[in-house]
């Protein structure tokens, strides 16, 4: 937790105890800011969204092309944390309507 908070720029205050030991206190406003920016936790795939494998098979392209479409703004991406056997993992899903638009208009120009 200390590494995560430090990596995200959360400020802290060191307090010396009477016995010579030190205590580290993180600023609550900074911690709340970091927690508010995290992805929501979901149990199931959100409706109207597809995962990467579905998007790749629907468009018939490679994964890097899907990432490029997201970067250009032609494809909406939804990021959430889902519980797996290895803990909470960030998963990306892509809007089905945008995928159909890309398949019909963008890929026909080839």
């Amino acid at each position: 937790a200390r590494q995560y908070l430090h990596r995200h720029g959360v400020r802290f205050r060191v307090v010396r105890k009477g016995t010579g030991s030190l205590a580290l206190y993180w600023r609550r406003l900074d911690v709340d800011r970091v927690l508010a920016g995290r992805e929501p936790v979901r149990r199931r795939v959100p409706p109207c969204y597809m995962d990467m494998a579905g998007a790749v098979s629907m468009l018939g392209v490679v994964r890097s092309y899907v990432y490029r479409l997201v970067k250009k703004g032609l494809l909406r991406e939804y990021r959430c944390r889902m519980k797996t056997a290895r803990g909470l993992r960030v998963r990306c899903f892509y809007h089905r309507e945008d995928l159909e638009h890309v398949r019909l208009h963008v890929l026909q120009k080839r």
Side-chain angles (χ1 to χ4, degrees):
R2 183 182 305 154
Q3 288 177 350
Y4 183 84
L5 292 172
H6 181 71
R7 190 170 50 237
H8 286 85
V10 175
R11 292 172 287 197
F12 60 90
R13 184 168 57 113
V14 178
V15 178
R16 184 174 300 276
K17 299 281 186 173
T19 60
S21 63
L22 300 175
L24 186 70
Y25 293 102
W26 299 97
R27 288 194 52 197
R28 178 170 293 284
L29 292 175
D30 291 344
V31 172
D32 291 340
R33 174 186 49 85
V34 169
L35 291 178
R38 294 187 75 188
E39 294 86 3
V41 177
R42 300 287 305 240
R43 291 181 184 253
R44 296 188 202 121
V45 177
C48 301
Y49 284 88
M50 296 178 70
D51 61 347
M52 177 60 82
V56 166
S57 66
M58 181 179 196
L59 297 177
V61 296
V62 293
R63 290 185 336 177
S64 62
Y65 188 75
V66 175
Y67 293 136
R68 201 173 318 142
L69 290 172
V70 171
K71 189 173 182 179
K72 287 182 178 180
L74 297 173
L75 189 58
R76 282 179 278 181
E77 180 182 49
Y78 177 75
R79 296 170 61 96
C80 64
R81 291 180 294 152
M82 297 188 82
K83 188 172 182 179
T84 64
R86 295 183 180 182
L88 289 173
R89 301 287 182 183
V90 176
R91 299 276 314 270
C92 298
F93 298 100
Y94 306 97
H95 202 270
R96 186 182 308 265
E97 182 179 305
D98 295 343
L99 289 169
E100 291 171 358
H101 179 276
V102 168
R103 187 180 68 187
L104 292 175
H105 294 90
V106 176
L107 292 179
Q108 286 181 355
K109 291 181 181 179
R110 288 184 181 182

